[in-house]
Amino acid sequence: MRARIWSMLGLGLVLAVSSAAAAEASPEAARTKALLAYQRDLVSVLAPRADAMPLLGAALLARPLPKQPRYNDFHTLIERAAQADDSIPAVQWVRLVDCDAKAGTCPNADALQALTAGAADNAAVWLIKLGTDTANGRNEAARDDLHRAASARLYDDYTGTALKALASTAGTLPAPAAAIDPAAAAGPYGVQVVLVYGMAGLLPQPQPGMQAAARMCAKGKDDGALKADCLQLARVLEWGSSPLARSLGLHLRETLADDPAEQAAARIERANLTWQVQNFARLSDRAPQDKALAQHLLALARHGGTEMSLVLAALRDAGIPADAPAADAVDAAPSTR
């Protein structure tokens, strides 16, 4: 058994494990047990599918479950999703974490090779490789990775696709009554929103070498070619799929741009980004108590897109401006560095 706690972490609701709380014989523990059973049932129903997206959803649901049968475990399901005729790069991205960190096999080498071959226009792939090459002292390769990331067409960490896979599969079975908190007004939709957004926040995801890239670009002031690559990468990241990527892109522009006005604009945009993330987290936190909001967040996830597009759509639909109030933006900008 495990207990779940709500936490505003990054962009949503995180399903966390607490063995001490799970030991308590309480209504919350009973609901948690029912939620786990629901999660296992969803995996069992989805596992026989042959197409990539349901298998991806099943793999994501199975990842944190202990003692899963071999044919229904994360490794088997993500491998089957990778071999499906309609497989997509998002599957290989998730497959990156099908590895053993203690044995030093992370990220999954086969998945990384598949991504560099099949998704070479995605800067996120090269930042994954940059982090790996940096950690292994391959500095020349890491510099080439940075150049490839800067030359890429887009940045996508496939969180939006993972949310779509989870949201599209969460409704395969009705939420059991035992998993529904009677005090939560969203009812079964609250269970689904916990499962979808909580699972996306809980699962270990590949970590692109953001810090390694930032450290490398910090040397750009004394290296014209490196500076040019870093400013080009900044533009790719600013329009990337995730708030983390956008934040780094704005940081690079703020620290490397020659024009003080451009630096100031980047600071304001970073303050706006902080505003967007905080307000989306508040919406997510409120969803289990608001049926219409829970349904809407689930519909946005099922629609697909990127993490940033989902955040901005949710704020727009809730009547929350994307830009922070002017005074807040000026005050908050320095603190987001």
Side-chain angles (χ1 to χ4, degrees), residues 3 11 30 34-36 126 128 138 178 247 289 291 295 312-313 329:
L11 290 178
L35 182 61
L36 269 177
W126 297 108
I128 286 281
R138 296 191 290 264
S247 179
Q289 299 295 333
K291 180 179 177 180
Q295 289 176 309
L312 293 173

Side-chain angles (χ1 to χ4, degrees), residues 131-259:
T132 300
D133 285 336
T134 300
N136 289 298
R138 296 191 290 264
N139 296 330
E140 290 186 9
R143 177 65 182 88
D144 182 63
D145 297 333
L146 185 89
H147 177 73
R148 287 175 176 269
S151 303
R153 181 175 60 87
L154 52 79
Y155 175 99
D156 190 357
D157 65 5
Y158 303 108
T159 297
T161 306
L163 283 167
K164 181 178 181 178
L166 287 166
S168 299
T169 55
T172 304
L173 295 173
I180 300 173
D181 183 350
Y189 298 103
V191 174
Q192 289 186 27
V193 88
V194 168
L195 199 62
V196 172
Y197 286 89
M199 195 62 56
L202 177 66
L203 290 170
Q205 293 292 328
Q207 296 299 317
M210 297 286 189
Q211 292 183 351
R215 287 193 298 268
M216 189 180 295
C217 287
K219 304 173 185 177
K221 293 179 181 179
D222 303 317
D223 183 330
L226 177 59
K227 180 178 179 178
D229 274 348
C230 289
L231 284 171
Q232 186 174 346
L233 176 63
R235 288 190 287 272
V236 175
L237 295 177
E238 282 186 50
W239 296 101
S241 66
S242 75
L244 181 61
R246 179 162 170 75
S247 179
L248 177 58
L250 291 167
H251 167 76
L252 293 177
R253 177 151 64 97
E254 180 186 348
T255 55
L256 294 177
D258 295 322
D259 184 354

Side-chain angles (χ1 to χ4, degrees), residues 246-331:
R246 179 162 170 75
S247 179
L248 177 58
L250 291 167
H251 167 76
L252 293 177
R253 177 151 64 97
E254 180 186 348
T255 55
L256 294 177
D258 295 322
D259 184 354
E262 195 170 350
Q263 295 175 4
R267 283 195 294 272
I268 292 173
E269 286 302 311
R270 291 188 77 196
N272 289 337
L273 179 63
T274 299
W275 163 268
Q276 293 158 10
V277 169
Q278 289 175 343
N279 278 278
F280 182 79
R282 293 187 185 104
L283 283 177
S284 302
D285 198 38
R286 202 176 77 224
Q289 299 295 333
D290 186 328
K291 180 179 177 180
L293 178 58
Q295 289 176 309
H296 188 55
L297 290 182
L298 290 167
L300 287 175
R302 285 193 295 269
H303 180 72
T306 68
E307 189 177 16
M308 274 306 310
S309 68
L310 187 152
V311 168
L312 293 173
L315 295 181
R316 180 195 65 229
D317 296 342
I320 300 172
D323 292 345
D328 292 347
V330 172
D331 294 339

Side-chain angles (χ1 to χ4, degrees), residues 95-112 132 136:
R95 190 171 166 242
L96 287 169
V97 299
D98 186 20
C99 55
D100 185 347
K102 292 182 180 178
T105 62
C106 292
N108 182 304
D110 290 341
L112 183 55
T132 300
N136 289 298

